[in-house]
Every structure is written in C-alpha cells, then in structure tokens.
C-alpha cells in the first residue's frame, strides 16, 4: 500500500561526470606497507616478504555505554527516540535479514549495533562522520549499514506495520473520525509535506521548490511525501519521492492510492485532504471559494479537525526523525527507502505508545495551491453540501467562526 517514485537511469546524457571519476573509500581497513614504527615495511619469513594488514582502531565507547543492560530508559530514549523494548523488538524482527557472518579479516558488526547505527542516524540527523565516531566504524561502513537496515525495514516491517486497513479496521477508523468531527464515512486524513534536499545533478528544475524558496528567501529543493493516516496518527498509505515542484494534486495522481481508488477501492468512503487536493468522489476537501456562507464556514471548521490529525502526524514524524528536517547528503535514488523507513518506524513507535517530547515536535508548513480544476465530481459537491447542512442543523458544527 505504498509506492515510490521511479529513479531516473544514468544514461550517457545525464550521468554526472564526477561519478565516473569518484573512487570508493573504505576507512575500515587498509593495506599498508609501512606500518611499523621502526620503518620495516614487510614481515620476513622463509617464503620472502609478505604484506601486512592493519586495521584502523576506532573507539566504540559511546555505543558500548548505550548497549549496556543497565543503561537508563530515559537516556536510551533521548538518544534513539524510542524505548529499549521497542528497539529490541525491531532488532529481533530484523535479525535474520541484517545479520552478517564473520570473515577472516574481521568480525561482523552485530545486529544490535547495525540497527542502532541506522536508528541513531535517522533520529539525530547527524553526519556520517559523527555516526562513524560514535559507533567506532568506518564512514563508508556506516553509510552501507544505514541503507541496508532501511531496506530491511521496507521489506520486513513495512508489510506488517504500514498497510491499508481491513474492513473491520475501516469501521473503527470511520467511527472515531465521526466522533471527532461529526462527518461520517471518513477513513483517512491526507497531507503532503516536503523534505529538503541538496540540489540534484540531474533534472534540477523539477526539484526546485518555488513556494518554499519565496517564503524562506533562499533557494530550496525538495522531494514530497504524501501520507494518509488513521485517527491515531498511524500511516496507512504513503507515496514518496516525487519532485518538489509538483503540487499536491499532481503527486496524488501519481500515487498507487489514486489508481486503486479509481478502480473502486474507496467507493462509499472519504479521505479528507486540504485545499491543495481536488474534490472527488472519494476525496473530501474544504470550501475554497470567497464569501463563504455560515454553513460552509462551519463545515470547514469541522473538516479542519480531521486535517489536523495528519498535519500533527507529520510534525511528530519530522520531530522524531531529525534527518527529515535537514538537507540530506544521501543520493536521490536512496531517499525513498530511507523516508519509507522513517514512516514505518514512526508507526511502530505510535502503536507501542512511544511518546515524543513536546519540544521535539516541529511546526510543519507546506504551502498549498488550489488545483486548476478543484471540483471534479458533481456527486461529491452535492454530498459535501448535504454534510455541511446536516452539521450546522444537527448541532455538530462549531461556532468559533462567529
């Protein structure tokens, strides 16, 4: 129930020239011919000179402190944005996928340390150089571990923790949203946010975010994350990785959710979206025309309570995983998997009652643009008018707008 933007292949016309010159660097170990303080460059043996292998020593003291059984829950959660039991659950579920075997050259990085490298990188948003220092591993090794663990999260945990609800769950979600707003048959709250990136080397104009650039007064590039959440702020569908120049309605049309809904999956139910989405048979949005009536104002106020659920969810998502707040150094083709892993880890934390510190929650600001064709269903227009009338005349609508 999730989809990601397909990556653009590196053809001879768009492959950066630097990529052809770039050399891989692995700082875990090196082959060196001058490793002794006496100036000897070889080991003598009956068979003649032999090369000596040396391993650069790094201190894992920081990680060793957090890996102790007696480390406090508070300290562990402050570093990894989740409690020890939740972390252990993730390690257990990923163990078979991320575990590596020892080699003749070195011992494999343990599963707990591999998962910790990934989670701390996502939670802190710090550079790979600092991750390397904290865990006593090479920079390139840390980078590889992050991508491998995120891929394992996508393959192993996403099917279990991020899925469209079944019929019984849909009924529960609908009842909860109706209790909140008085609006019936709502099965999700939808929002699209932007994740800042460094200017890509190809198709740079597609990722240019003009709205954020105008508001922040500095050049911004981004990719999008469209998410649908239930009444508890748990993601039930995500669409990740489309360029930041695309408005919300175009991102929606590219999503697998849109294709499934067009095939009748969401017949008779609503997903509530903001003014950046069109009014359709399955998407319910606020009134956007000027000079609204009292009935329309009241409806917008109640639908705003549903929209707040998804916006608050993204505020917690970005607050818990600080990597989403900074321009990432990751390659564009790696981003969808990493961003998807953040959404899955968010769901696990929410389902297990992992509260986030209030000061970590960030303000989410994404400028919505009303689509060129905002009203795409006569049936939905009449249904919305009926709901607005019922809300006002059955004492469900608020009166703060007065």
């Amino acid at each position: 129930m999730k989809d990601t933007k397909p990556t653009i292949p590196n053809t001879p016309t768009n492959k950066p020239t630097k990529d052809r010159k770039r050399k891989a660097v692995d700082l875990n170990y090196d082959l060196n011919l001058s490793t002794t303080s006496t100036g000897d460059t070889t080991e003598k043996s009956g068979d003649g000179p032999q090369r000596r292998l040396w391993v650069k020593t790094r201190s894992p003291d920081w990680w060793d402190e957090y890996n102790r059984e007696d480390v406090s829950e508070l300290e562990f959660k402050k570093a990894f944005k989740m409690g020890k039991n939740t972390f252990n659950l993730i390690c257990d579920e990923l163990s078979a996928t991320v575990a590596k075997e020892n080699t003749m050259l070195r011992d494999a990085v343990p599963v707990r340390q591999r998962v910790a490298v990934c989670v701390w990188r996502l939670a802190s948003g710090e550079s790979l150089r600092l991750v390397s220092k904290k865990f006593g591993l090479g920079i390139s090794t840390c980078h590889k571990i992050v991508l491998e663990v995120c891929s394992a999260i996508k393959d192993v945990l996403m099917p279990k923790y991020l899925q469209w609800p079944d019929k019984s769950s849909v009924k529960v979600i609908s009842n909860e949203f109706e209790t909140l707003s008085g609006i019936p048959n709502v099965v999700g709250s939808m929002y699209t946010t932007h994740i800042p990136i460094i200017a890509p080397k190809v198709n740079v104009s597609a990722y240019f975010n003009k709205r954020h650039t105008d508001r922040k007064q500095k050049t911004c590039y981004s990719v999008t994350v469209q998410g649908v959440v239930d009444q508890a702020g748990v993601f039930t569908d995500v669409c990740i990785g489309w360029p930041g120049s695309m408005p919300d309605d175009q991102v929606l049309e590219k999503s697998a959710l849109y294709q499934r809904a067009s095939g009748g999956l969401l017949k008779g139910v609503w997903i509530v979206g903001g003014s950046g989405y069109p009014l359709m048979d399955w998407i319910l949005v606020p009134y956007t025309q000027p000079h609204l009536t009292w009935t329309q104002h009241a409806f917008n106020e109640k639908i705003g309570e549903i929209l707040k659920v998804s916006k608050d969810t993204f505020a917690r998502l970005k607050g818990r995983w600080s990597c989403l707040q900074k321009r990432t150094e990751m390659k564009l083709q790696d981003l969808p998997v990493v961003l998807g892993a953040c959404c899955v880890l968010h769901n696990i934390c929410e389902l297990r009652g992992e509260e986030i510190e209030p000061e970590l929650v960030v303000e989410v600001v994404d400028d919505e643009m009303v689509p060129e064709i905002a009203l795409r269903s006569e049936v939905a227009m009449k249904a919305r008018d009926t709901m607005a009338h019922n809300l006002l005349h059955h004492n469900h609508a608020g009166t703060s707008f007065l």
Side-chain angles (χ1 to χ4, degrees):
M1 295 298 177
K2 54 270 158 193
D3 51 298
T4 58
K5 178 187 177 299
T7 57
I8 302 172
N10 279 329
T11 64
T13 58
N14 64 16
K15 184 177 181 180
T17 57
K18 289 185 179 180
D19 286 351
R20 291 194 287 267
K21 299 179 181 179
R22 186 176 302 152
K23 296 180 180 179
V25 179
D26 191 339
L27 301 181
N28 278 299
Y29 65 93
D30 196 5
L31 206 58
N32 198 303
L33 297 179
S34 56
T35 62
T36 62
S37 59
T38 61
D40 291 340
T41 60
T42 60
E43 276 189 347
K44 303 298 182 181
S45 72
D47 298 328
Q50 292 182 345
R51 287 182 174 179
R52 298 187 61 182
L53 182 69
W54 64 274
V55 179
K56 184 173 181 179
T57 302
R58 291 178 172 83
S59 172
D61 290 348
W62 184 89
W63 163 240
D64 288 343
E65 285 294 313
Y66 283 96
N67 197 32
R68 292 186 295 109
E69 290 186 5
D70 60 344
V71 66
S72 73
E73 183 77 10
L74 183 62
E75 287 298 314
F76 190 93
K77 189 170 183 177
K78 185 177 181 181
F80 295 95
K81 303 299 190 295
M82 63 177 67
K84 292 192 290 184
N85 288 338
T86 299
F87 179 81
N88 292 337
L89 169 72
I90 295 171
C91 290
D92 291 342
E93 298 214 29
L94 295 181
S95 178
T97 306
V98 304
K100 302 291 183 180
E101 294 184 356
N102 296 339
T103 68
M104 293 179 62
L105 296 178
R106 53 182 167 170
D107 291 339
V109 179
V111 169
R112 285 180 60 82
Q113 188 172 2
R114 293 173 69 82
V115 175
V117 166
C118 178
V119 172
W120 192 78
R121 162 80 158 144
L122 301 180
S124 67
E126 295 291 355
S127 67
L128 286 169
R129 186 173 298 277
L130 186 55
V131 177
S132 168
K133 183 178 179 181
K134 294 285 188 182
F135 288 89
L137 300 170
I139 293 176
S140 61
T141 297
C142 290
H143 175 65
K144 184 179 179 181
I145 287 175
V146 170
L147 295 182
E148 288 178 349
V149 175
C150 284
S151 181
I153 290 172
K154 175 182 73 71
D155 294 337
V156 177
L157 300 183
M158 185 174 276
K160 183 175 182 179
Y161 292 102
L162 201 163
Q163 285 293 299
W164 190 256
D166 56 25
K167 289 184 178 180
S168 60
S169 298
V170 163
K171 185 64 177 177
V172 173
I173 294 170
S174 174
N175 290 340
E176 291 287 344
F177 273 126
E178 186 168 4
T179 300
L180 173 67
S181 65
I183 300 176
N185 301 320
V186 174
V187 298
S189 175
M190 182 165 58
Y191 188 82
T192 299
T193 194
H194 289 256
I195 307 300
I197 61 172
I198 296 173
K201 294 181 174 63
V202 294
N203 291 344
V204 62
S205 61
Y207 294 89
F208 175 66
N209 190 323
K210 185 178 185 302
R211 288 160 289 170
H212 284 203
T213 297
D214 292 343
R215 178 162 46 80
K216 297 180 179 180
Q217 295 299 301
K218 65 177 182 180
T219 305
C220 297
Y221 299 89
S222 66
V223 296
T224 61
V225 178
Q226 173 189 286
V228 179
V229 305
D230 63 16
Q231 81 289 349
V234 172
F235 288 103
T236 55
D237 186 275
V238 291
C239 176
I240 299 170
W242 289 97
S245 65
M246 295 174 61
D248 293 353
D249 62 315
Q250 291 183 17
V251 174
L252 173 67
E253 291 169 3
K254 296 289 187 181
S255 68
L257 176 69
Y258 185 90
Q259 303 304 322
R260 295 195 304 272
S262 300
L265 173 67
L266 299 176
K267 186 175 182 179
V269 296
W270 300 101
I271 291 178
V272 169
S275 58
Y277 301 103
L279 177 66
M280 302 178 67
D281 288 340
W282 54 281
I283 298 181
L284 192 61
V285 299
Y287 291 96
T288 56
Q289 71 268 25
H291 312 301
L292 298 180
T293 65
W294 283 7
T295 302
Q296 292 168 340
H297 270 296
F299 177 82
N300 282 2
E301 185 177 274
K302 302 308 291 184
I303 207 173
E305 295 178 4
I306 299 177
L307 291 173
K308 187 176 183 297
V309 175
S310 54
K311 190 169 183 177
D312 287 350
T313 298
F314 275 104
R316 295 195 302 278
L317 176 78
K318 291 186 175 183
R320 182 176 277 124
W321 312 118
S322 298
C323 65
L324 305 181
Q325 303 175 37
K326 304 176 181 180
R327 295 193 305 169
T328 178
E329 60 198 36
M330 292 182 183
K331 293 180 180 179
L332 202 56
Q333 60 264 32
D334 295 330
L335 268 181
V337 171
V338 175
L339 299 181
C342 290
C343 294
V344 174
L345 292 175
H346 164 89
N347 277 7
I348 294 174
C349 290
E350 294 287 317
L351 291 169
R352 291 180 59 84
E354 296 279 3
E355 295 184 358
I356 182 173
E357 296 296 329
E359 62 269 17
L360 294 178
V361 178
V362 300
E363 181 182 7
V364 177
V365 179
D366 294 286
D367 309 286
E368 296 178 327
M369 295 176 56
V370 177
E372 292 184 5
I373 305 177
L375 306 176
R376 303 185 186 181
S377 169
E378 290 286 343
V379 173
M381 290 174 62
K382 293 178 180 178
R384 182 174 65 173
D385 289 342
T386 300
M387 280 187 280
H389 175 83
N390 291 340
L391 283 172
L392 188 65
H393 293 279
H394 292 83
N395 298 321
H396 287 300
T399 56
S400 64
F401 65 91
L402 295 176

